[in-house]
Amino acid sequence: MSILVTGGAGFIGSNFVLDWLRQSDETVVNLDLLSYAGNLENLKSLDGDARHVFVQGDICDHALIDKLLAEHRPRALVHFAAESHVDRSISGPAAFMRTNVEGTFTLLEAARAYWTAMDDAAKAAFRFHHVSTDEVYGSLKPCDPPFAETNPYEPNSPYSASKAASDHLVRAWHHTYGLPVVTTNCSNNYGPYHFPEKLIPLMIVNALAAKPLPVYGDGQQIRDWLYVTDHCAAIRAVLAGGRLGETYNIGGWNEMANIDIVKTVCALLDEFRPDPAGPYARLITYVKDRPGHDRRYAIDARKIEQELGWRPAETFATGIRKTVQWYLDHPEWVSRVQSGAYRDWVKQQYAAP
Ligand code: NAD
Ligand code: DAU
């Protein structure tokens, strides 16, 4: 038995692969293009482990997906691969349309052909799990209730529009062809191996380098934050027991304003690694806002809790302590990501013999 994971060298995908193989001996075939955000060093602990089969490739490559499905006969496909950074989608949306929309379409078509040819038992067991985001629902006003699965889609950035498009494709492939899909829409993750272009890891690495901590606009934008291994556990729960064609919102019941996130990170660094120059919060710098910046996201995660019994194990207080400590304990990972050296390692490690 095996599962096919896309984007398993990225932040959430690599946490998912590590988490999966801590709990199961079922092989993970990991298809990842190794874009700037894909880092095989995240999976170094699996070197030589036959349960992890890494394939460098593009989810838009139909022939490659067909070949992988035929060769490994996975019982599920868990689709993480995406362009994921909102700021990059504003400066260069084309890559988001290609990977997030065309890539998801390509996977759906390949999965459909593979699934159609299966016997009835295998057909009934197969799952296409699409990993998506709360950003598809748009932006909430301060007193709006949190996003439920029934909220209308109102994506506001090129990133969230591309993810919304991919969600709609997944829904249509279930409705029209009967492909056994589940979709999860999760809030902001944080934790180990988070690429330091995103808020929390950027604040940690900038603070340690005594660089400004750039807070967009007034810093009062609200996000819901979930520790990454809680997201992995939620995906496992939905993959195992989610109803076909359904979507499940995943969140941490933890809404916080960006400025409070940044101040929390600063306070933890003050505790763990005090800077003789003064408190890290001195580095906070308000900068120009993100264009079209969504003001508030919040998740109503009652459906997954009531149907599947999932709740986050970490609170923000416990998760953020672990996260800051992880970055302090892994300076080499940080410096190799910042210099791009991890990509040289990949070239050397995976060069043709
Ligand atoms: P990431 O940017 O860290 O990782 C994305 C991975 O996909 C990388 O390893 C990259 O190499 C790979 N990839 C990109 N284009 C590819 C292609 N064409 N073919 C194959 N692989 C390709 O992203 P992440 O933060 O780990 O997010 C993973 C998924 O979870 C995404 O679908 C994202 O939309 C979703 N999500 C993320 C968050 C979050 O807070 N990070 C929250 C909710 C949902
Ligand atoms: O909500 C889920 C989404 O969370 C995922 O779908 C995305 O893939 C993921 O990147 C994340 O999107 P955000 O835009 O919320 O994450 P980011 O870390 O880029 O920003 C978090 C908040 O912090 C956001 O309001 C913008 C702000 N910010 C971000 C950066 C990088 C700053 O104020 N300064 C910064 O330098």
Side-chain angles (χ1 to χ4, degrees):
M1 298 266 269
S2 66
I3 61 168
L4 173 61
V5 165
T6 71
F11 163 48
I12 305 174
S14 61
N15 275 286
F16 180 83
V17 171
L18 293 169
D19 201 55
W20 183 270
L21 293 175
R22 270 194 293 268
Q23 317 203 20
S24 153
D25 280 333
E26 188 172 12
T27 298
V28 177
V29 181
N30 180 358
L31 171 64
D32 195 299
L33 185 62
L34 299 181
S35 73
Y36 79 95
N39 183 354
L40 272 183
E41 290 193 3
N42 302 357
L43 299 165
K44 233 176 174 169
S45 61
L46 298 176
D47 277 357
D49 188 329
R51 298 171 307 161
H52 179 232
V53 178
F54 180 74
V55 179
Q56 183 172 7
D58 191 335
I59 58 167
C60 297
D61 182 345
H62 204 310
L64 173 63
I65 317 291
D66 285 346
K67 180 172 161 288
L68 291 177
L69 291 171
E71 202 174 306
H72 298 281
R73 313 289 310 161
R75 68 169 176 94
L77 194 161
V78 188
H79 175 32
F80 293 94
E83 288 291 337
S84 69
H85 191 35
V86 174
D87 292 325
R88 285 181 190 257
S89 83
I90 295 168
S91 52
F96 289 71
M97 302 307 132
R98 184 177 181 279
T99 289
N100 300 1
V101 186
E102 188 191 331
T104 303
F105 165 69
T106 306
L107 287 173
L108 284 166
E109 277 295 82
R112 179 165 75 92
Y114 170 65
W115 174 77
T116 303
M118 282 175 167
D119 64 36
D120 285 350
K123 253 186 170 161
F126 185 74
R127 293 290 179 274
F128 185 106
H129 186 133
H130 179 54
V131 179
S132 193
T133 170
D134 60 357
E135 301 202 8
V136 297
Y137 297 121
S139 186
L140 292 168
K141 300 207 166 48
C143 52
D144 284 341
F147 299 129
E149 289 80 359
T150 47
N151 268 59
Y153 272 33
E154 290 178 354
N156 289 319
S157 72
Y159 164 70
S160 55
S162 70
K163 291 297 288 187
S166 68
D167 293 9
H168 290 320
L169 293 176
V170 171
R171 176 188 156 83
W173 260 242
H174 174 69
H175 190 78
T176 303
Y177 304 113
L179 189 71
V181 307
V182 281
T183 295
T184 46
N185 295 85
C186 188
S187 58
N188 285 59
N189 286 213
Y190 66 100
Y193 306 118
H194 205 180
F195 197 84
E197 64 183 357
K198 309 280 170 66
L199 180 71
I200 289 179
L202 183 74
M203 295 301 141
I204 299 171
V205 304
N206 275 15
L208 291 172
K211 287 185 182 163
L213 308 180
V215 173
Y216 296 161
D218 63 3
Q220 293 300 330
Q221 302 82 5
I222 290 172
R223 300 287 181 268
D224 172 73
W225 294 92
L226 181 71
Y227 193 65
V228 64
T229 51
D230 277 326
H231 188 188
C232 297
I235 292 171
R236 281 203 315 277
V238 172
L239 189 59
R243 286 183 292 131
L244 295 187
E246 291 290 319
T247 64
Y248 293 86
N249 284 354
I250 304 171
W253 298 107
N254 179 65
E255 287 182 55
M256 280 180 76
N258 291 340
I259 187 65
D260 295 327
I261 295 283
V262 176
K263 285 180 177 166
T264 303
V265 167
C266 289
L268 285 168
L269 288 170
D270 288 337
E271 180 187 335
F272 294 152
R273 185 161 305 170
D275 183 346
Y280 288 99
R282 75 185 190 283
L283 300 168
I284 292 174
T285 309
Y286 289 91
V287 299
K288 194 167 158 280
D289 208 351
R290 173 186 278 175
H293 200 169
D294 284 337
R295 198 69 185 164
R296 174 177 167 236
Y297 306 140
I299 281 277
D300 178 343
R302 280 178 296 175
K303 179 175 172 182
I304 185 173
E305 179 169 359
Q306 284 161 6
E307 287 191 21
L308 301 170
W310 175 88
R311 261 192 84 83
E314 300 287 345
T315 62
F316 188 70
T318 59
I320 194 68
R321 279 188 88 80
K322 285 187 190 178
T323 304
V324 171
Q325 191 63 60
W326 187 88
Y327 279 85
L328 289 173
D329 291 345
H330 294 82
E332 281 176 18
W333 184 91
V334 171
S335 77
R336 290 173 64 79
V337 163
Q338 287 182 313
S339 71
Y342 68 101
R343 308 187 84 179
D344 301 336
W345 179 83
V346 166
K347 270 189 219 132
Q348 174 199 316
Q349 177 83 353
Y350 294 90

